[in-house]
């Protein structure tokens, strides 16, 4: 047997795509006549089937457990409202056959036994295509929607998340392989001692359960992780198969890869064991010029006058509707000490007054209006590939060559047709360059991502039921 | 009381689709290998068979599985129902969802989502788990007796408020003002458990994270007595078939006498639909029902709190025709799904249709329509607002 050097990172030379159906967000255009419903199943079905036609590895759903607020009321300007991830993915499982189904699910507002069972159900229903994107949002504000509320300290969240994930893995690994009989003439439905009871008793929760389900075709759901702090990265390096990262720019991506490789090695895993798929947006056309025009159009619909002012209001903590979106940034100061982006999308925590001064100076120097400034600032701009199909394919081929990323999790700016040009034009260009799959290599997500069969979380000691 | 509860009108049939059937040893007579039970193909084939047979409702049981030689695994009921949504077109999908050990906020959004993926064909079979196993699995103390009913009522109330928390038409997509939402149509539900709540009290803020379900409010199905004032469908059991019709009449009288109402809004009320529960074993392929039952019972005896019909398809059709004259519907629990469903589809349902005992097949209809319920206005909508 050839000994692979597990300590050395080897680029796969391939790029995979996932589709991130965002639901709640400020980037999906709803103002254009061709933009469809964000909640009707038909939108989900169409986009998932388009992605599958384009051999996408995964269909990805985010999660937010409280409606976002702006200056104390629900936020009126952004796309809002999204179905429950696992319910939607279970429905999509019946109308797709190869694409992976990734549910973002919170570790703070779920019970491990219940969540693990639900994910195992999705995994079996889909024939081994389920994945869990582990997130840890723990603010008490979201907790107000839950029985056990905001019980978790910020500092504790990854400790808690890790115990949660470990417990889930033990639940998924609790049935012996081949435990279920293959004939109705067998003596029992499942072999004796087929399942192990899982017991966990810890600071935040206790679990004592005999799991109800055998392993799936991919053994257990694939684990994604989204979270960028050092603790989050270490957690991913120990537990995750794929990181949904926020680092799509080339140099940044290369640096992030190096960081994750060293954290994986430190965690006792192989250099290639944790894949990376950054969030991204593509604005493509036949020529660069057309793509640039398209981008202008997309941005103008994403950041209209009201959106631009509202963006600043999040940092100023006050109403700024008297300001002209096409004029300069407000010269008045924020009313808050620290900035707080729209509740529900993360806490910024920067010194508000300093930030306001800095932004005013920057806008003045570059001669930018409120609208132009906000447009230039929104994080989505950093994660955008704009250009001709061929040029963007060349760029992505370079990512693949050095192994900067394993793929991209694409946020379409239009639902449900936002993947059409990617599937029809970009994918063939990538295939021609040999950097994109030409077929689904297997029927499970784990196979399609090229992930190794997971090792059981601990040795199986069967117990008599 | 509306015509919904008047006897003599055609009723509907529901079929419980759990595992290989209601008999614990059902898997031994299934027409597939045990390891083919827990997958999407099985859900698809059984729910489509039920739909094409003319069942108007499919229910999906949940909860821990029993132990022993006949233990079988079980997939989450709500996800099975969701999987069935896009592949069916008329059958109503009603998963059992626990209220005691699950988060009401999650339950509410999951059920609302089921309504979206099924085009308004979703319902909720409310369970209140009195099982120590489920308590231990989520690390909570065990609830029993009156506490169960309180947990169930609180969870249903939270869901109902969350379903109403986006009024119809809250998504406005107003390009001129840049507003995607009309914030005046979103509401904090501010639910608090009552002061005499038996379990750990809690509150839920809201609004929901998903727009109002297609049906406005999903019909809530519960065993008689569990949700005395808040069920849209009441399931009635009796120890024997001969007592079932009388029990249905008794429950209906109790509901009418107690002035029971449906839902929580200030709309015109009608009594809940009353559905009889029935275990079914039929003659099949030259084998008598009683012989089939004896064979299954030799592996593991089937104990159930429901009345059990054991006999021929023709006898069952006669019995159901009589029962449907007093009940709004009957839910059948087949001993062995693969076997009983074939008999039901070929012999029983056609006969009931011939007798005019079954409601007509309604493509694209909602569960509320099947029950004769109006689509209610959100409780938070100001009077006169209409969409
Ligand atoms: C790319 C990316 C996507 C995320 N998506 C979600 C999401 O859908 N839902 C959610 O609750 N949190 C989401 N998060 C938040 C993380 O779970 C986490 O709470 C947050 O990043 C803070 O953790 P950190 O300090 O480790 O970054 C996301 C984070 C990243 C980086």
């Amino acid at each position: 047997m050839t000994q692979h050097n597990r300590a050395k990172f080897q680029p796969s030379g391939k790029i995979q795509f996932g589709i991130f159906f965002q639901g709640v967000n400020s980037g999906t255009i709803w103002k254009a006549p061709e933009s469809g419903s964000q909640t009707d199943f038909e939108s989900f079905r169409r986009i998932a089937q388009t992605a599958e036609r384009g051999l996408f590895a995964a269909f990805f759903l985010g999660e937010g457990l409280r409606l976002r607020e702006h200056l104390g009321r629900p936020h009126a300007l952004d796309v809002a409202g999204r179905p429950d991830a696992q319910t939607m993915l279970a429905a999509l499982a019946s109308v797709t056959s190869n694409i992976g189904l990734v549910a973002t699910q919170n570790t703070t507002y779920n019970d491990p036994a219940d969540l693990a069972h639900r994910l195992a159900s999705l995994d079996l229903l889909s024939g081994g295509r389920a994945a869990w994107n582990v997130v840890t949002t723990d603010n008490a504000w979201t907790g107000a929607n839950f029985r056990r509320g905001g019980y978790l300290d910020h500092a504790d969240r990854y400790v808690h998340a890790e115990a949660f994930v470990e417990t889930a893995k033990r639940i998924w690994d609790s049935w012996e392989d081949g435990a279920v009989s293959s004939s109705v003439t067998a003596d029992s439905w499942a072999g004796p001692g087929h399942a192990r009871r899982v017991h966990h008793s810890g600071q935040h929760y206790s679990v004592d359960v005999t799991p109800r389900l055998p392993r799936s075709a991919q053994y257990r759901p694939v684990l994604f992780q989204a979270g960028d702090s050092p603790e989050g990265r270490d957690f991913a390096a120990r537990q995750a198969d794929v990181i949904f990262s926020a680092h799509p720019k080339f140099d940044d991506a290369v640096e992030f890869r190096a960081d994750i490789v060293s954290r994986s090695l430190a965690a006792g895993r192989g250099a290639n064991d944790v894949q990376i798929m950054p969030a991204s947006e593509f604005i493509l056309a036949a020529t660069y010029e057309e793509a640039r025009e398209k981008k202008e159009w997309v941005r103008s619909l994403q950041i209209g006058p009201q959106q631009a002012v509202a963006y600043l209001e999040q940092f100023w903590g006050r109403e700024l509707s008297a300001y002209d979106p096409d004029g300069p940034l407000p010269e008045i100061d924020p009313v808050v000490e620290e900035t707080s982006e729209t509740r529900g999308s993360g806490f910024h925590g920067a010194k508000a007054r300093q930030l306001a001064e800095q932004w005013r100076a920057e806008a003045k120097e570059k001669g930018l209006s409120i609208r132009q400034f906000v447009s230039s600032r929104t994080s989505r701009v950093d994660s955008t590939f704009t250009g001709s199909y061929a040029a963007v394919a060349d760029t992505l081929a370079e990512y693949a060559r050095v192994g900067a990323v394993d793929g991209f999790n694409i946020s379409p700016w239009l639902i449900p047709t936002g993947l059409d040009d990617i599937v029809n034009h970009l994918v063939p260009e990538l295939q021609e360059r040999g950097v994109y799959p030409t077929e689904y290599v297997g029927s499970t997500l784990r196979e399609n991502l090229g992930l190794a069969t997971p090792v059981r979380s601990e040795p199986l000691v069967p117990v008599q039921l | 009381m509306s015509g919904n509860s008047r006897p003599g009108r055609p009723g509907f049939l529901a079929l419980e689709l759990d595992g290989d059937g209601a008999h614990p040893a059902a898997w031994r007579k299934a027409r597939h290998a045990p390891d083919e039970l827990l997958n999407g193909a099985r859900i698809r084939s059984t729910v489509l068979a039920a739909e094409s047979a003319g069942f108007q409702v499919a229910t999906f049981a949940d909860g821990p599985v029993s132990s022993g030689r006949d233990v079988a695994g079980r997939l989450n009921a709500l996800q099975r129902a969701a999987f069935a949504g896009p592949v069916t077109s008329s059958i109503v999908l009603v998963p059992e969802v626990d209220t005691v050990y699950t988060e009401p906020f999650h339950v509410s959004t999951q059920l609302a989502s089921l309504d979206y993926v099924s085009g308004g064909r979703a319902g909720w079979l409310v369970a209140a788990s009195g099982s120590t196993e489920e308590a231990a699995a989520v690390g909570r103390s065990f609830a029993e007796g009156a506490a169960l009913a309180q947990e169930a009522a609180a969870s249903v109330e939270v869901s109902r408020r969350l379903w109403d928390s986006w009024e119809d038409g809250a998504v406005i997509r107003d390009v001129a003002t840049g507003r995607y939402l009309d914030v005046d149509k979103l509401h904090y539900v501010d639910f608090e458990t009552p002061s005499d709540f038996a379990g750990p009290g809690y509150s839920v803020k809201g609004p929901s994270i998903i727009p109002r379900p297609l049906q406005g409010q999903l019909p809530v199905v519960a065993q008689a007595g569990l949700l005395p004032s808040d069920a849209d469908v009441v399931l009635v059991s009796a120890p024997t078939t001969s007592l079932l019709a009388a029990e249905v009449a008794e429950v209906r009288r109790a509901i009418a006498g107690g002035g029971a109402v449906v839902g929580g809004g200030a709309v015109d009320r009608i009594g809940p639909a009353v559905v009889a529960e029935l275990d079914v074993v039929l003659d099949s392929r030259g084998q008598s029902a009683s012989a089939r039952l004896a064979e299954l019972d030799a592996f593991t005896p089937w104990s159930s709190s429901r009345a059990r019909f054991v006999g021929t398809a023709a006898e069952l059709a006669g019995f159901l025709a009589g029962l449907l004259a007093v009940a709004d519907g009957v839910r059948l629990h087949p001993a062995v799904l693969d076997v009983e469903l074939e008999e039901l589809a070929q012999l029983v349902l056609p006969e009931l249709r011939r007798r005019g005992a079954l409601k007509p097949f309604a493509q694209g209809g909602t569960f509320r329509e099947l029950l004769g319920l109006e689509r209610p206005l959100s409780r938070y909508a100001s009077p006169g607002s209409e969409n």
Side-chain angles (χ1 to χ4, degrees):
Chain A
M1 235 179 96
T2 18
Q3 277 291 315
H4 283 287
N5 184 358
R6 291 179 41 80
K8 195 167 181 314
F9 174 72
Q10 315 255 332
S12 71
K14 292 270 190 229
I15 291 289
Q16 297 264 11
F17 283 155
I19 138 94
F20 178 17
F21 190 120
Q22 295 194 94
V24 177
N25 75 102
S26 55
T28 315
I29 291 170
W30 52 264
K31 294 174 189 168
E34 56 269 58
S35 40
S37 167
Q38 295 280 338
T39 37
D40 285 355
F41 182 67
E42 194 53 18
S43 296
F44 289 80
R45 191 186 64 75
R46 281 185 59 188
I47 209 148
Q49 290 179 342
T50 304
E52 195 161 77
R53 182 163 61 80
L55 303 173
F56 277 44
F59 181 95
F60 185 105
L61 288 174
E63 183 190 65
L65 297 170
R66 183 149 173 202
L67 208 59
R68 300 210 288 173
E69 285 180 356
H70 182 71
L71 304 179
R73 298 192 78 191
H75 197 358
L77 303 183
D78 288 355
V79 169
R82 63 176 144 204
D84 171 69
Q86 287 202 63
T87 308
M88 192 48 88
L89 295 175
L92 286 174
S94 70
V95 294
T96 56
S97 50
N98 285 290
I99 195 164
L101 304 166
V102 193
T104 298
Q105 303 271 273
N106 197 289
T107 49
T108 304
Y109 303 111
N110 281 297
D111 285 305
D114 177 54
L115 185 68
H117 175 64
R118 290 165 47 72
L119 286 160
S121 295
L122 181 64
D123 205 15
L124 285 162
L125 275 174
S126 62
R129 295 189 279 136
W132 171 20
N133 177 39
V134 183
V135 295
T136 59
T137 320
D138 67 341
N139 53 71
W141 178 78
T142 295
N145 280 335
F146 293 91
R147 285 184 188 194
R148 291 196 247 179
Y151 63 85
L152 195 59
D153 279 349
H154 196 261
D156 265 356
R157 64 188 182 180
Y158 282 112
V159 177
H160 174 269
E162 193 139 8
F164 193 118
V165 167
E166 294 269 3
T167 303
K169 284 183 174 176
R170 288 171 60 207
I171 289 172
W172 296 328
D173 292 348
S174 68
W175 283 47
E176 261 183 86
D177 295 331
V180 184
S181 303
S182 53
S183 164
V184 292
T185 59
D187 181 55
S188 57
W189 191 82
H194 61 280
R196 184 185 34 169
R197 243 172 83 182
V198 173
H199 181 79
H200 168 92
S201 185
Q203 194 192 340
H204 298 296
Y205 60 86
S206 56
V207 170
D208 186 358
V209 65
T210 303
R212 278 174 239 174
L213 292 172
R215 301 221 282 179
S216 76
Q218 62 172 355
Y219 295 94
R220 65 185 185 215
V222 169
L223 285 189
F224 281 57
Q225 179 269 4
D228 205 29
S229 61
E231 297 79 22
R233 292 181 188 198
D234 279 334
F235 165 69
R238 284 191 296 269
Q239 300 290 351
D241 299 300
V242 186
I243 295 176
F244 176 32
S245 85
H247 305 280
K249 275 190 165 169
F250 189 81
D251 293 345
D252 197 16
V254 169
E255 202 175 298
F256 185 76
R257 165 72 79 187
D259 183 55
I260 294 306
V261 166
S262 72
R263 288 178 198 268
S264 303
L265 294 172
R269 296 176 72 194
N272 276 69
D273 285 5
V274 183
Q275 300 194 350
I276 300 168
M277 287 179 96
S280 62
E281 182 193 56
F282 289 84
I283 301 181
L284 308 171
T287 65
Y288 179 72
E289 277 317 309
E290 279 176 71
R292 276 234 43 111
E293 265 174 46
K294 204 165 173 180
K295 183 166 170 174
E296 290 294 307
W297 175 76
V298 170
R299 292 285 175 255
S300 72
L301 290 177
Q302 284 171 332
I303 303 154
Q306 300 90 352
Q307 278 78 11
V309 172
Y311 182 84
L312 294 189
E313 287 174 340
Q314 294 163 22
F315 296 87
W316 262 253
R318 65 197 297 170
E319 244 202 83
L320 301 172
S321 53
Y323 288 85
D324 176 5
D326 295 316
L329 265 59
E331 58 299 326
I332 55 166
D333 279 327
V335 294
V336 287
E337 286 300 308
E338 292 201 320
T339 66
S340 159
E341 204 187 341
T342 303
R343 297 188 83 163
S345 67
F347 181 62
H348 276 213
K351 293 263 176 290
R353 196 178 292 233
Q354 257 169 279
L355 190 84
E357 265 167 36
Q358 213 176 301
W359 283 4
R360 265 195 297 266
E362 187 186 329
K364 196 166 181 186
E365 190 193 307
K366 296 183 184 164
L368 300 177
S369 67
I370 289 179
R371 223 165 140 172
Q372 289 162 328
F373 178 77
V374 172
S375 189
S376 77
R377 267 214 60 83
T378 37
S379 59
R380 301 177 56 83
V381 178
D382 288 342
S383 51
T384 303
F385 294 92
T386 305
S388 69
Y389 305 117
V392 171
D394 285 340
T395 305
L396 299 191
E398 182 60 10
Y399 278 76
R401 194 184 62 76
V402 303
V405 299
D406 295 282
F408 293 92
N409 208 13
I410 300 171
S411 310
W413 39 265
L414 201 59
I415 297 292
T417 55
L419 291 185
D420 292 0
D421 58 354
I422 293 171
V423 168
N424 296 339
H425 302 290
L426 181 62
V427 163
E429 294 272 0
L430 291 168
Q431 286 169 328
E432 264 173 45
R433 287 161 178 76
V435 298
Y436 191 87
T438 51
E439 59 180 358
Y440 283 109
V441 300
S443 64
T444 70
L445 176 59
R446 200 174 287 282
E447 287 170 296
N448 287 323
L449 288 174
L451 294 165
T453 303
V455 177
R456 269 191 202 281
S457 52
E458 52 187 73
L460 188 63
V461 186
V463 294
Q464 203 66 43
L465 287 176
Chain B
M1 297 286 284
S2 92
N4 177 40
S5 54
R6 207 183 313 126
R9 292 182 53 178
F12 63 86
L13 285 183
L15 185 67
E16 166 53 44
L17 287 179
D18 192 43
D20 282 312
H23 197 291
W27 68 272
R28 298 176 187 276
K29 298 293 168 189
R31 302 208 175 111
H32 66 95
D35 57 10
E36 287 164 3
L37 172 65
L38 302 172
N39 62 39
R42 174 71 184 169
I43 312 290
R44 189 192 309 262
S45 65
T46 51
V47 75
L48 283 174
E51 182 173 78
S52 58
F55 282 95
Q56 281 109 335
V57 178
T59 63
F60 302 85
D62 214 332
V65 290
S66 56
S67 56
R69 282 190 307 164
D70 285 329
V71 60
R74 179 182 268 156
L75 297 162
N76 175 268
L78 195 134
Q79 289 190 32
R80 280 184 281 151
F83 183 92
V87 298
T88 50
S89 57
S90 68
I91 198 163
V92 167
L93 304 165
V94 184
E96 180 181 320
V97 182
D98 175 59
T99 48
V100 181
Y101 301 113
T102 42
E103 280 286 352
F105 191 86
H106 286 318
V107 168
S108 153
T109 52
Q110 287 161 10
L111 286 162
S113 304
L114 179 63
D115 209 38
Y116 278 93
V117 304
S118 65
R121 290 180 285 125
W124 177 11
L125 175 46
V126 172
S129 171
S131 122
T132 47
E133 255 183 283
E134 282 194 85
V138 303
R140 271 187 62 188
S141 56
F142 171 49
E144 54 189 334
L148 287 179
Q150 267 198 336
E151 293 268 9
S155 179
V156 170
E157 176 65 15
V158 172
S159 274
R160 287 195 181 282
R161 289 196 201 182
L162 288 169
W163 293 334
D164 279 346
S165 67
W166 291 54
E167 287 180 41
D168 293 319
V171 175
I172 51 171
R173 293 173 171 246
D174 187 47
V175 176
T177 61
R179 290 181 309 148
Y180 183 82
L181 298 176
D182 176 352
V183 175
D184 292 335
K185 290 189 169 169
L186 296 174
H187 305 274
Y188 292 102
V189 305
D190 286 322
F191 173 84
E192 300 260 1
T193 47
S195 54
D196 67 344
F197 197 65
Y202 62 89
S203 59
V204 172
K205 183 75 190 166
S208 182
I209 50 164
I210 176 173
R212 198 156 186 250
L214 299 178
Q215 296 180 89
Q217 289 276 323
L218 274 68
V220 170
V221 182
Q223 302 291 340
L226 180 63
L227 290 173
S229 61
D230 207 13
D232 301 296
V233 179
V234 171
L235 298 173
V236 176
S237 285
T240 65
T241 49
S242 51
L243 294 172
L244 193 51
E247 187 61 28
V248 165
E250 178 56 37
V251 167
R252 202 187 287 288
R253 252 193 312 279
I255 291 167
V261 292
V262 183
V267 289
D268 277 345
R269 309 303 173 79
I270 55 169
V274 179
V275 170
E277 294 267 61
L278 188 67
D279 288 344
V280 172
V281 194
L282 294 174
D283 287 12
S284 168
R285 300 191 182 185
Q287 220 191 345
S288 77
S290 53
R292 288 187 50 231
L293 181 60
E295 201 185 339
L296 288 163
D297 276 350
F299 290 108
T300 302
W302 184 15
S303 69
S304 138
S305 56
R306 297 176 292 262
R308 182 172 305 161
F309 180 92
V310 183
T312 68
E315 288 162 355
L316 178 62
F319 177 70
L320 288 176
L323 196 52
L324 285 167
V326 290
D328 298 292
V330 180
R331 180 163 77 135
L332 303 182
H333 300 256
V336 179
L337 202 45
D338 287 346
V339 178
E340 264 71 29
L341 187 47
E342 199 170 83
E343 302 297 317
L344 291 163
Q346 286 171 13
L347 301 170
V348 180
L349 277 80
E351 174 60 16
L352 288 171
R353 267 194 296 273
R354 204 184 55 74
R355 296 187 188 204
L358 286 188
K359 289 198 176 192
F361 180 87
Q363 184 105 25
T366 68
F367 191 14
R368 295 191 75 86
E369 284 163 13
L370 178 70
L371 296 170
L373 297 172
E374 304 266 292
R375 189 178 186 284
L377 206 58
S378 160
R379 76 193 60 201
Y380 302 105
S382 49
S385 76
E386 212 53 72
N387 267 289

